[in-house]
Amino acid sequence: MGIKHFCLVGSGGVGTIASLVLTKSALARVTVVLRSKYNYVLEHGWEIDSVDHGKISRWKPYRVVRSAVEAATVKEVEYDYVVVATKALPSLNPVVKMISPVITPGKTTVVLIQNGIGIEQDIVKAYPGNVVMSSVSHIGSEVQEPNVVVQVGKDVSKTGPHLHGGVDDSRSMAKARSFVEMYIAGGAHTCELVSDIQTARWEKLLWNGAFNTVCALMRMDVGELQRSNGRETLLVPMIIVQWMAYRLPDDCAYRPSMLLDLENGRPMEVDVILGNALAKAREVGVETPVLSVVYNLLVLEEWKIGQRTAGKT
Amino acid sequence: MGIKHFCLVGSGGVGTIASLVLTKSALARVTVVLRSKYNYVLEHGWEIDSVDHGKISRWKPYRVVRSAVEAATVKEVEYDYVVVATKALPSLNPVVKMISPVITPGKTTVVLIQNGIGIEQDIVKAYPGNVVMSSVSHIGSEVQEPNVVVQVGKDVSKTGPHLHGGVDDSRSMAKARSFVEMYIAGGAHTCELVSDIQTARWEKLLWNGAFNTVCALMRMDVGELQRSNGRETLLVPMIIVQWMAYRLPDDCAYRPSMLLDLENGRPMEVDVILGNALAKAREVGVETPVLSVVYNLLVLEEWKIGQRTAGKT
């Protein structure tokens, strides 16, 4: 299998490790789109401290560029894969708009390493002849300013194609398999190819949709939420699979992503972690009394963040 | 009518103005229980800046004491009225325990100037032969440390007896009427005697149970909540009487009491403003999907405040 050409958008903790893994496979040539960090990383590279890959100083991918438009201009060939590892914020930052310059219709495979559900439809609609696939990642990795990537949680993921009518299932599966082979060759801890990625997405969502959302709303870590009786009054009624409410120990100091976003005044993944699931529940007639209230409260938190961002508060 | 002997517990913004009004009536001799402020107020009195009473410097009631026990010891006669103007925190600070030293069974009338509903039962149970009455106050008044009382909102209240089996209704009504006459004589803006005080209590609660609770949970003032669409997604579904959700203007910067308590790490009146109403709803079979979630979330906020107070977080 020859060298594949990748473009990666969203070089945070998750995306930078993905670009490292793909590069280490020696099967991929990765162009990374950087915005604010472009100048710094171009000069200094990344300082990586990884539970999977050890310490790597001044690491750079094959190429860094300032925008997807630049990534499209400088490319010597069309991209085989575009990897999206941004936060999933469909209304603020739609993926289609982000990647359109680097997509070759009918050719480029779109790989979404993102949270939540309902993230594929817009892409399939815009590029009905392209393979779309996604990863459910359990990596723990973050960027510390300006260029340090600290990966404390092993890179464990499930990856699979999002089958849709515009592409033969066998072709979608082949592209996903090829990606997984590269990802494993690059030294990721675990990357499992699955045929039904939506089940994996919902599995993660069952915990995330309850714990992540209530932790954010209450500014509490997982352990606090469990010790406070909030598990019994809120999480158990929210979670369909009850054992998930008891999976983590009561001294677990984990602060889920939406809590970190809220504390830092950043937009949260409310739509893909909760809004889309509630739309699905309405569609199939499932009552969601607690989740709906939590959703509406989080929308208010987003409104506040938006007001502050707009300098109105 | 002769001088009546009053003991007042809870000399905050509301209570201190009440002690002033009763004193100004020249029909009441008011002993005020002060804890932390005893020494300061004994020496300097209160500095009052009131929309109803103007500026009054170094004002003192008839007597200040350190505790209800001291109030009982120094009294020359039994108290005709005990006025409770504390925050209503039945589990942290039960009223019966607070006032028991100054109650003469069968004689002393208990006046509750407090928020919420379900605040009378414990007192009736402890003193079945005593008149219990309450005021629903719309005063805006607060204490600024150490001894300044700023009253910006007129002293408007409804007052009436809590009728119960241990006391003849006519006697309860007479004691309430007598209190209202004194309160009007003392120059309060408006004090209306009502025969059905529970209706007045529920009226205030209909707004308070929704706006006060969600403002606190969301750290938003009334106008922000209304402008954010939270009125439509949360308050309208919570409030039985819809026009109440549209009573105040969208630029209203009012920060309700529970929000101020939460911001200052003080216990909130969750039980009397929401918990007791939800218990009543369960009793009569009314569904409260949104209110119950908001209640459970506020209980978590209280847990956090308790943890901080206990120095555990």
Side-chain angles (χ1 to χ4, degrees):
Chain A
M1 146 166 111
I3 292 282
K4 298 293 178 191
H5 296 274
F6 277 74
C7 181
L8 184 139
V9 183
S11 202
V14 177
T16 304
I17 296 297
S19 65
L20 172 66
V21 169
L22 291 164
T23 302
K24 280 180 71 181
S25 77
L27 298 166
R29 187 165 286 175
V30 186
T31 297
V32 173
V33 178
L34 292 174
R35 265 167 289 256
S36 57
K37 295 191 184 301
Y38 174 80
N39 285 323
Y40 200 93
V41 171
L42 187 67
E43 188 179 343
H44 303 283
W46 292 100
E47 296 297 315
I48 293 172
D49 185 357
S50 160
V51 69
D52 289 336
H53 308 282
K55 295 199 180 192
I56 309 175
S57 193
R58 303 184 70 82
W59 181 79
K60 286 183 200 176
Y62 174 70
R63 183 197 283 138
V64 295
V65 293
R66 269 174 253 254
S67 66
V69 170
E70 189 185 339
T73 313
V74 299
K75 72 177 191 285
E76 62 264 29
V77 292
E78 294 167 319
Y79 288 108
D80 298 296
Y81 289 87
V82 167
V83 178
V84 180
T86 59
K87 244 168 41 174
L89 302 170
S91 33
L92 276 179
N93 210 6
V95 169
V96 167
K97 199 176 160 193
M98 207 185 295
I99 64 176
S100 61
V102 284
I103 297 290
T104 304
K107 173 179 170 75
T108 310
T109 293
V110 180
V111 185
L112 305 172
I113 310 183
Q114 292 187 303
N115 273 327
I117 58 157
I119 59 176
E120 306 90 354
Q121 285 80 342
D122 289 347
I123 299 159
V124 171
K125 199 172 160 196
Y127 303 107
N130 287 51
V131 175
V132 177
M133 52 178 284
S134 74
S135 273
V136 180
S137 173
H138 291 272
I139 196 173
S141 182
E142 61 168 31
V143 173
Q144 294 170 357
E145 294 301 324
N147 69 330
V148 180
V149 177
V150 181
Q151 185 203 340
V152 295
K154 289 173 181 171
D155 192 353
V156 174
S157 64
K158 291 185 179 180
T159 298
H162 174 73
L163 303 177
H164 64 91
V167 179
D168 280 351
D169 290 0
S170 60
R171 180 155 177 261
S172 294
M173 200 63 195
K175 293 288 181 187
R177 177 174 294 113
S178 171
F179 177 90
V180 169
E181 284 168 2
M182 284 185 270
Y183 212 78
I184 291 171
H189 184 274
T190 308
C191 183
E192 183 186 349
L193 177 66
V194 296
S195 57
D196 182 7
I197 192 64
Q198 291 309 323
T199 297
R201 302 198 75 78
W202 276 94
E203 270 170 12
K204 187 173 179 187
L205 194 78
L206 287 179
W207 188 91
N208 237 355
F211 273 87
N212 201 341
T213 55
V214 178
C215 281
L217 200 54
M218 295 306 303
R219 285 84 167 159
M220 289 163 91
D221 67 30
V222 168
E224 286 174 322
L225 201 48
Q226 297 187 167
R227 296 197 301 278
S228 70
N229 200 39
R231 175 162 52 193
E232 282 66 36
T233 60
L234 290 156
L235 297 167
V236 166
M238 288 167 95
I239 293 184
I240 300 162
V241 186
Q242 295 295 307
W243 64 262
M244 279 205 178
Y246 295 87
R247 200 177 51 172
L248 293 172
D250 277 4
D251 61 354
C252 171
Y254 177 54
R255 305 178 81 74
S257 63
M258 293 174 82
L259 172 58
L260 297 177
D261 287 336
L262 188 65
E263 288 178 329
N264 290 289
R266 297 182 303 231
M268 297 177 288
E269 296 178 307
V270 178
D271 284 339
V272 299
I273 289 180
L274 198 45
N276 290 349
L278 292 179
K280 190 73 190 174
R282 275 195 302 278
E283 193 186 311
V284 299
V286 171
E287 302 264 320
T288 54
V290 182
L291 285 167
S292 293
V293 177
V294 169
Y295 173 77
N296 286 325
L297 290 166
L298 282 172
V299 169
L300 296 197
E301 291 288 2
E302 287 205 309
W303 180 86
K304 285 200 294 182
I305 291 170
Q307 292 288 105
R308 280 200 296 271
T309 308
K312 283 179 194 158
T313 297
Chain B
M1 129 172 125
I3 293 281
K4 298 294 180 191
H5 296 273
F6 278 74
C7 181
L8 184 140
V9 184
S11 204
V14 177
T16 304
I17 296 297
S19 66
L20 171 67
V21 169
L22 291 164
T23 302
K24 281 181 71 182
S25 78
L27 297 165
R29 188 164 284 174
V30 186
T31 297
V32 172
V33 178
L34 293 174
R35 266 166 287 257
S36 57
K37 295 187 183 305
Y38 174 79
N39 285 322
Y40 200 91
V41 171
L42 187 68
E43 189 180 342
H44 303 282
W46 292 100
E47 296 298 313
I48 294 173
D49 185 356
S50 159
V51 70
D52 289 335
H53 308 283
K55 295 200 179 191
I56 309 174
S57 192
R58 302 185 69 82
W59 181 79
K60 285 183 199 176
Y62 173 70
R63 184 196 282 137
V64 297
V65 293
R66 268 175 253 252
S67 67
V69 169
E70 189 184 339
T73 314
V74 299
K75 71 175 190 288
E76 61 264 30
V77 291
E78 294 168 319
Y79 288 109
D80 298 297
Y81 289 88
V82 168
V83 177
V84 180
T86 58
K87 242 166 46 174
L89 302 169
S91 33
L92 277 178
N93 210 7
V95 170
V96 167
K97 198 175 160 196
M98 209 186 293
I99 64 175
S100 61
V102 286
I103 297 290
T104 304
K107 174 182 170 74
T108 309
T109 293
V110 179
V111 185
L112 305 172
I113 310 182
Q114 292 186 304
N115 274 327
I117 58 157
I119 60 176
E120 307 90 353
Q121 284 80 341
D122 289 348
I123 300 160
V124 171
K125 198 172 163 196
Y127 304 106
N130 288 51
V131 175
V132 177
M133 52 179 285
S134 74
S135 274
V136 180
S137 174
H138 291 271
I139 196 173
S141 182
E142 61 167 30
V143 173
Q144 295 170 356
E145 295 300 323
N147 68 330
V148 179
V149 177
V150 181
Q151 185 202 341
V152 294
K154 290 171 180 174
D155 191 354
V156 174
S157 63
K158 292 185 179 180
T159 299
H162 175 72
L163 303 177
H164 63 92
V167 179
D168 281 350
D169 289 359
S170 60
R171 179 155 178 264
S172 292
M173 200 61 195
K175 293 288 183 187
R177 178 175 292 112
S178 173
F179 177 90
V180 168
E181 283 168 3
M182 284 185 272
Y183 211 77
I184 292 171
H189 185 275
T190 307
C191 184
E192 183 186 348
L193 178 65
V194 296
S195 56
D196 182 7
I197 191 65
Q198 290 310 323
T199 297
R201 302 198 73 78
W202 276 95
E203 271 169 12
K204 186 172 180 186
L205 193 78
L206 287 179
W207 188 91
N208 236 356
F211 273 87
N212 201 341
T213 54
V214 178
C215 282
L217 201 53
M218 293 307 302
R219 284 86 168 160
M220 288 165 93
D221 68 31
V222 168
E224 287 174 321
L225 201 47
Q226 297 186 166
R227 296 197 301 279
S228 70
N229 199 39
R231 174 161 54 193
E232 283 65 36
T233 59
L234 290 157
L235 296 166
V236 166
M238 289 168 94
I239 293 183
I240 300 162
V241 185
Q242 296 294 307
W243 63 263
M244 278 206 179
Y246 295 88
R247 201 176 52 170
L248 293 173
D250 277 4
D251 60 354
C252 171
Y254 177 53
R255 303 178 81 74
S257 63
M258 293 174 80
L259 172 58
L260 297 177
D261 286 337
L262 189 65
E263 289 179 327
N264 290 287
R266 298 182 303 232
M268 297 178 288
E269 294 179 306
V270 178
D271 283 340
V272 298
I273 289 180
L274 198 45
N276 291 349
L278 292 179
K280 190 73 190 174
R282 274 195 302 276
E283 193 186 311
V284 298
V286 171
E287 302 262 321
T288 55
V290 182
L291 285 167
S292 293
V293 177
V294 169
Y295 173 78
N296 286 325
L297 291 167
L298 281 172
V299 169
L300 297 197
E301 291 288 0
E302 287 206 308
W303 181 86
K304 284 199 294 181
I305 292 170
Q307 293 287 103
R308 280 200 296 270
T309 308
K312 283 178 194 158
T313 297

